[in-house]
Amino acid sequence: RRRDGLLDELDRLVLPENPLDQIVNHFGPSNVAEMTGRAKRIVRGPDGAAEYRKRLAGVAANRINAHEMEAFQAGRKRIAIISAAASTGISLHASCEAANTQRRVHLTLELGWSADAQIQTFGRTHRANQAAPPEYCLVSTELGGERRFSSTIARRLESLGAITKGQRDAAGAETIAEYNVETEYGEAALATLYAQMKRGVDIPGLGGNAAALRDMGLITEANAALGLLDVSDDDRMNVPRFLNRVLALECDRQNAMFDRFFAIFEDLVAQARENGTYDLGVTDLRGLSVTVKGEPELVRTCKVTGARTVHHEIAVKVATEPLSWEDVERKRSVVDIDKFGAAGGYYESNREMGIFYAQPWTHATDKRTGAVSLVYRVVRPSGHMDQRLSAVDLATRYREIDPVAAESLWSAAVAADPGYRVRTHHIIAGTVLPIWRKLSAGSEFVPRIVRVETDCGRRVVGVEISRKRIATVLAALGVTRAAWTPEVIFDEALEEGVETKLGEGLRIRRTRLPEGLAVEIAGARPEHYPELRRMGCRTERINWVQRFFVPSDEDDAVTVIRRLVERFTVAV
């Protein structure tokens, strides 16, 4: 009786279909090409009645998947579903010989445990002789532990040179890197996370640092009770093990742990991008308009082969999405003051940045001193948030303004926004291998290979050099800076910290004074003092040393630098 009663109750249950049947029944068997290992499927009729029937009547069982593939490639069915059982011998790419040559959008509903098997499945839509490369979408829930699988797949995808390097349109390294945390930045982020937990930094929703590390098996029960949160050296930077162990936590705690880890990871990647040390492989520069500024500058000619190395200045017009005053105030209202100790503020620069909002972002540790300082993210009226400033730079280089006064300035900047901004990229193209060491110019250097097609059809492929380093690189290549204007020299010195060498040992450089940043004329000898004063340089005696600076006013500073360049010339 108990058994029969249980069976009766089961008959009353209405269970949801599996995702495969949901897709087939939603779009209809006539629109979905199913390539799986099953011979029959549950088809639900218009009246809602389910029927268990053969997938394709009148087609031999060993020909069903091939028949479905042909229907998809011919365009008769617009949706294809493929399982591991059909991951070999099936071609679903946009073949030039097929009737359906549209770009494929490949969604992974269930990531496999084996990266090799998943790569095999990806290969079904990305093959030779295709009219358009595919777009990959790694579908996952917001559960932190599931990133374990997507990260592994992404790491394997990055190793496919044909995808990430030779044909970026198929799957760019920038897109894949969003999933892959098994990198040096992931290791650094994990070490930082454990260090924060050891210091007692609270992670909302985690339920205690000691309990979380204990439940993940990273510390013992005894150490957790004593508050000893030292993770072993083997675990401290082992990202795959962390992603496995985080699955031991409940969903809410799992998400809290992974969200903090991923926030640190994103910040480290963002810092690497700003410093020019983040390797993205080959990157396409795109925008509303791409033009070459002037003629390419010849920097080297090989004496044996005659091969040329040139410097291109590429102007890329990038669309902006202006941020209204209401939107930026909303950002300011949600800042966690208890976490950062500040709510951010509005600042103004008399240079091209204009007004901006400094939003508390994270805490950074100085590698040399160990001091922890607050880092702000710069939010501009144009909507761009691609710069970060330390609390010291913010206080010394910019003037804070009251929110009441900021509203009119912000609204005026939004109204005046043309809908785009122009970014200048410096590219060294042509023969670059013989000058590779000079490109690094004695600093930490991760090459960023870019390619661009201008509006007039010109194609440029080369190594991008940051604006901060281009002067140093050109000088190392023996190129004079006569073409660089005094405005550029002053801008680079004050905003980028680039040093310009002049004749007779003089140098134009940025320095920090108690009242803020200044542009100094360093290397001056006593015989230079009268001449520098006549040119308009201001002088101060600091620690019993005579030092010279350009005026704080921008126009006066540019005039003084012009006189300096005319008199002493820029040294190579």
Side-chain angles (χ1 to χ4, degrees):
R1 286 196 304 268
R2 292 172 61 188
R3 181 200 62 189
D4 293 341
L6 179 59
L7 292 176
D8 291 343
E9 290 296 326
L10 291 176
D11 286 341
R12 294 188 184 97
L13 291 178
V14 180
L15 299 176
E17 299 168 326
N18 65 68
L20 180 57
D21 287 331
Q22 285 186 30
I23 296 173
V24 173
N25 289 323
H26 179 79
F27 294 100
S30 60
N31 295 317
V32 180
E34 177 189 337
M35 283 151 279
T36 64
R38 63 181 185 174
K40 296 182 178 181
R41 63 187 173 200
I42 298 177
V43 178
R44 196 170 296 278
D47 58 352
E51 183 182 352
Y52 193 55
R53 66 172 71 162
K54 288 186 61 176
R55 284 168 50 195
L56 287 177
V59 179
N62 60 352
R63 278 280 305 159
I64 291 179
N65 287 340
H67 187 276
E68 292 280 63
M69 178 191 71
E70 293 165 1
F72 176 76
Q73 293 295 80
R76 296 192 299 272
K77 296 186 176 183
R78 303 301 305 281
I79 301 169
I81 301 177
I82 187 171
S83 71
S87 61
T88 57
I90 297 294
S91 296
L92 302 175
H93 64 298
S95 174
C96 295
E97 299 174 357
N100 180 9
T101 58
Q102 290 181 305
R103 183 190 298 275
R104 308 310 195 227
V105 180
H106 190 149
L107 298 97
T108 60
L109 183 61
E110 294 178 343
L111 289 168
W113 285 83
S114 169
D116 292 329
Q118 191 65 56
I119 294 299
Q120 179 74 26
T121 304
F122 283 136
R124 300 306 98 204
T125 54
H126 183 61
R127 314 191 70 145
N129 192 34
Q130 61 186 1
E135 175 186 343
Y136 293 120
C137 299
L138 305 184
V139 181
S140 64
T141 67
E142 59 185 12
L143 194 63
E146 191 169 357
R147 293 297 291 269
R148 168 70 181 94
F149 308 109
S150 57
S151 175
T152 301
I153 301 302
R155 180 166 51 85
R156 291 301 303 272
L157 273 177
E158 283 189 308
S159 68
L160 296 181
I163 294 180
T164 60
K165 301 299 189 293
Q167 201 166 6
R168 276 192 61 87
D169 289 341
E174 274 187 282
T175 304
I176 296 172
E178 296 176 2
Y179 292 91
N180 186 16
V181 294
E182 296 181 42
T183 64
E184 58 180 305
Y185 303 104
E187 294 175 352
L190 184 59
T192 303
L193 172 64
Y194 289 149
Q196 290 181 357
M197 297 178 72
K198 181 180 178 181
R199 292 201 309 268
V201 175
D202 180 57
I203 301 178
L206 190 59
N209 296 344
L213 294 176
R214 177 201 63 204
D215 293 344
M216 291 172 63
L218 296 172
I219 61 175
T220 64
E221 183 82 33
N223 285 346
L226 295 173
L228 302 177
L229 308 186
D230 293 298
V231 177
S232 69
D233 293 339
D234 292 338
D235 292 327
R236 185 170 292 113
M237 301 180 71
N238 194 325
V239 178
R241 186 174 298 172
F242 164 76
L243 294 174
N244 279 330
R245 296 290 181 87
V246 79
L247 290 168
L249 302 177
E250 297 88 344
C251 293
D252 292 342
R253 300 172 69 202
Q254 186 179 135
N255 288 342
M257 174 74 85
F258 188 84
D259 288 346
R260 174 57 64 92
F261 163 72
F262 197 68
I264 300 172
F265 170 78
E266 286 185 313
D267 188 60
L268 292 176
V269 170
Q271 292 180 28
R273 289 176 186 270
E274 291 178 11
N275 297 334
T277 59
Y278 189 68
D279 184 9
L280 291 174
V282 181
T283 305
D284 289 320
L285 296 182
R286 293 192 178 94
L288 301 175
S289 175
V290 181
T291 57
V292 178
K293 299 172 65 174
E295 291 297 320
E297 181 182 16
L298 180 65
V299 298
R300 182 183 179 275
T301 302
C302 179
K303 297 180 180 179
V304 178
T305 64
R308 292 155 46 93
T309 305
V310 295
H311 166 225
H312 295 272
E313 279 192 66
I314 307 294
V316 180
K317 186 183 293 186
V318 183
T320 59
E321 297 179 2
L323 197 66
S324 68
W325 174 255
E326 292 74 16
D327 291 337
V328 72
E329 276 291 283
R330 194 175 299 113
K331 283 181 175 290
R332 193 164 74 99
S333 65
V334 298
V335 172
D336 189 346
I337 300 179
D338 293 335
K339 176 181 178 181
F340 297 108
Y346 296 96
Y347 292 80
E348 188 178 24
S349 168
N350 60 353
R351 305 185 57 73
E352 61 183 22
M353 186 180 295
I355 185 174
F356 63 91
Y357 165 60
Q359 180 181 15
W361 183 247
T362 187
H363 290 88
T365 303
D366 191 305
K367 296 180 180 178
R368 294 172 297 177
T369 64
V372 179
S373 62
L374 183 59
V375 177
Y376 292 81
R377 169 181 276 186
V378 172
V379 181
R380 297 186 178 91
S382 63
H384 283 277
M385 298 180 289
D386 57 355
Q387 183 179 351
R388 287 170 175 76
L389 293 172
S390 67
V392 175
D393 285 342
L394 196 63
T396 57
R397 295 172 57 183
Y398 304 101
R399 181 174 65 88
E400 186 172 5
I401 55 180
D402 185 80
V404 177
E407 181 176 3
S408 59
L409 295 174
W410 190 280
S411 300
V414 171
D417 188 89
Y420 66 86
R421 67 170 180 163
V422 179
R423 303 184 65 178
T424 300
H425 299 262
H426 297 274
I427 300 176
I428 304 296
T431 306
V432 297
L433 288 179
I435 60 171
W436 197 258
R437 291 191 176 183
K438 292 184 178 180
L439 292 181
S440 63
S443 65
E444 184 181 3
F445 174 65
V446 175
R448 183 173 185 242
I449 311 300
V450 299
R451 63 183 169 206
V452 60
E453 184 171 351
T454 65
D455 297 343
C456 61
R458 178 188 295 182
R459 294 183 177 180
V460 177
V461 180
V463 182
E464 182 178 12
I465 307 297
S466 68
R467 178 185 174 189
K468 182 176 180 179
R469 297 182 54 252
I470 185 62
T472 305
V473 170
L474 291 178
L477 294 173
V479 179
T480 63
R481 293 190 56 195
W484 292 72
T485 64
E487 290 83 0
V488 172
I489 295 175
F490 176 70
D491 180 76
E492 285 187 335
L494 188 62
E495 300 293 342
E496 308 289 347
V498 176
E499 180 179 286
T500 300
K501 295 181 180 179
L502 303 178
E504 300 185 22
L506 298 180
R507 305 186 310 278
I508 302 175
R509 70 179 188 184
R510 184 175 73 185
T511 189
R512 189 182 301 279
L513 299 176
E515 62 271 19
L517 295 176
V519 177
E520 180 181 11
I521 312 302
R525 300 189 296 274
E527 56 267 27
H528 294 137
Y529 294 174
E531 191 171 8
L532 292 178
R533 292 191 181 96
R534 288 195 299 269
M535 289 182 178
C537 296
R538 63 184 180 90
T539 179
E540 292 186 28
R541 183 172 291 275
I542 302 175
N543 294 331
W544 301 281
V545 176
Q546 189 87 328
R547 297 173 64 177
F548 289 84
F549 305 90
V550 303
S552 56
D553 181 78
E554 180 179 350
D555 294 335
D556 294 341
V558 170
T559 300
V560 171
I561 291 177
R562 181 175 290 108
R563 294 169 183 166
L564 288 167
V565 171
E566 291 174 353
R567 164 64 178 84
F568 296 101
T569 70
V570 176
V572 177

